[in-house]
Amino acid sequence: MFLREYWYVACASSQLGDAPRAVRVLDRDIVVFRGDGRRPRALADRCCHRGVKLSLGRVTRGELACGYHGWRYGGGGECVHIPSLAGGRRIPERCGVPAFPCAELDGYVWVWLGEGHGGAPPPAPGIDGFAAHRWDQGSVELGCSSIKGLENNLDWCHPAFAHPWTHWQFYTALFRGLREELLELRPTLDGMTLRGPVREDGGATGQRSLQTLLSFKLPDRVEVRSLGGPSRRIVLHFVPTAPDRCRLEWMSARALPFGARVRFRQEEPAILRQDRLLLESAELACAEQGALREHHVESDAPALLLRRILESAARGEWEQRRASLPERRVIRVTA
């Protein structure tokens, strides 16, 4: 169930230098490279001559040359030069590879694999407020579906157990124990939000004014923001690469406004490793047992709403389905 009519992260801008880069998005192997004017371009990662991966080649004067026989391609996928052709010989008609719309914005190179717009796709989504922060950024391959990654980061109740010594909810539970809280769940035009803790009327609780806002935005983004306290912001994209695999492109705002706008981190943060091991375990269980029956409780409401959103969006029906849902739901959890 791939949602194709959306922009996806191909790679971090800082990771696309002078050499072409192989990436996988949804079910496509893609090569991204900097063409004329250093603009990013995206092509199917195969030469139309012998099928060799173009990502094994090199960029020459803004064109991508295959590493096997040197066939060169422009940013639109057209073959523009074949070194072995004798003088006066013409490039065969329709010689080229598929090209995909590509954009560079807010620290990422984005690619569009949809077909439903006919003409140009809508503008790349970018990240609201990107310029107001300094960011750490990284990429992690996950051996689980993107849906599992999204569900995990909309799950209010797992950090106290899954993230010893790395998450503030673990420390809160350690020192004061688990307590009942109310959370506010709202469907939105392009996803959903989860905010808490709240009162029944939606206001902040008297015991703790600090709130956390979790939001999901189609097709693959989860954001974490703090409200009413020290600024905290995390942006996560779970880019599908297969039905049971995804690539997590993460970005976290730094506390101090110094240094480069974006710093790419090669190491996997400990908190993400904790999640990855659990999620990959769950994916293996699904593969081994087939249709694994899940048992749900009230705290699973965000995950179940996420599944409805993705299923409806895959059929192009989310806008109609959203109108039939309650504008606001309060759920009671212990966390």
Side-chain angles (χ1 to χ4, degrees), residues 26-330:
L26 305 186
D27 53 356
R28 299 299 299 261
D29 289 318
I30 295 169
V31 56
V32 289
F33 67 100
R34 294 196 179 277
D36 292 338
R38 305 285 296 169
R39 288 181 54 198
R41 301 289 190 173
L43 306 178
D45 194 8
R46 60 169 178 78
C47 180
C48 69
H49 181 209
R50 298 287 181 83
V52 170
K53 285 184 174 294
L54 291 173
S55 54
L56 299 175
R58 62 190 65 85
V59 180
T60 303
R61 296 191 296 276
E63 298 166 347
L64 182 55
C66 177
Y68 196 14
H69 295 92
W71 288 33
R72 288 211 310 265
Y73 299 87
E78 69 283 5
C79 183
V80 296
H81 179 62
I82 299 177
S84 61
L85 278 181
R89 301 295 195 271
R90 300 175 63 180
I91 295 174
E93 189 177 351
R94 290 186 238 174
C95 196
V97 298
F100 309 97
C102 195
E104 188 167 20
L105 182 65
D106 294 346
Y108 286 114
V109 174
W110 306 79
V111 66
W112 174 276
L113 302 185
E115 301 174 351
H117 278 263
I127 298 169
D128 294 339
F130 174 81
H133 299 279
R134 296 289 191 273
W135 302 88
D136 285 331
Q137 182 187 49
S139 182
V140 179
E141 296 286 339
L142 302 180
C144 69
S145 69
S146 62
I147 297 176
K148 281 186 172 59
L150 292 167
E151 291 177 357
N152 176 73
N153 284 274
L154 294 168
D155 187 328
W156 194 274
C157 297
H158 84 280
F161 306 96
H163 296 299
W165 315 112
T166 61
H167 196 286
W168 65 267
Q169 279 183 260
F170 168 80
Y171 289 99
T172 301
L174 181 66
F175 290 113
R176 69 155 171 81
L178 299 176
R179 296 184 182 178
E180 281 196 6
E181 295 178 332
L182 297 180
L183 309 177
E184 179 185 82
L185 182 62
R186 289 180 179 268
T188 65
L189 184 64
D190 53 6
M192 59 179 281
T193 63
L194 180 66
R195 182 171 62 98
V198 299
R199 301 191 307 261
E200 286 281 3
D201 62 5
T205 62
Q207 302 150 326
R208 186 172 68 185
S209 60
L210 177 63
Q211 293 183 312
T212 297
L213 176 68
L214 308 179
S215 63
F216 163 67
K217 182 175 182 179
L218 284 163
D220 65 345
R221 180 187 297 179
V222 171
E223 290 197 39
V224 182
R225 298 194 193 204
S226 58
L227 306 175
S231 178
R232 180 171 61 107
R233 188 167 179 202
I234 302 168
V235 182
L236 309 169
H237 290 91
F238 291 88
V239 181
T241 56
D244 57 354
R245 297 192 64 82
C246 65
R247 185 179 69 253
L248 169 56
E249 299 285 349
W250 64 268
M251 187 178 282
S252 177
R254 300 199 298 270
L256 299 177
F258 304 119
R261 172 70 63 193
V262 180
R263 298 185 308 201
F264 193 88
R265 302 292 196 184
Q266 297 292 344
E267 68 276 8
E268 179 183 19
I271 194 169
L272 297 184
R273 181 177 183 275
Q274 290 169 332
D275 276 334
R276 178 174 61 79
L277 294 176
L278 295 169
L279 294 174
E280 290 177 347
S281 170
E283 191 68 52
L284 285 174
C286 289
E288 292 171 357
Q289 299 179 29
L292 178 68
R293 182 184 177 190
E294 296 182 343
H295 298 269
H296 301 124
V297 293
E298 188 172 358
S299 61
D300 295 312
L304 298 179
L305 176 57
L306 172 73
R307 295 178 189 184
R308 294 180 68 179
I309 293 171
L310 293 172
E311 291 168 2
S312 299
R315 297 191 295 267
E317 299 173 355
W318 170 236
E319 188 172 347
Q320 303 95 295
R321 291 291 300 274
R322 182 180 66 87
S324 66
L325 295 176
E327 180 180 338
R328 174 178 181 263
R329 177 183 175 184
V330 174

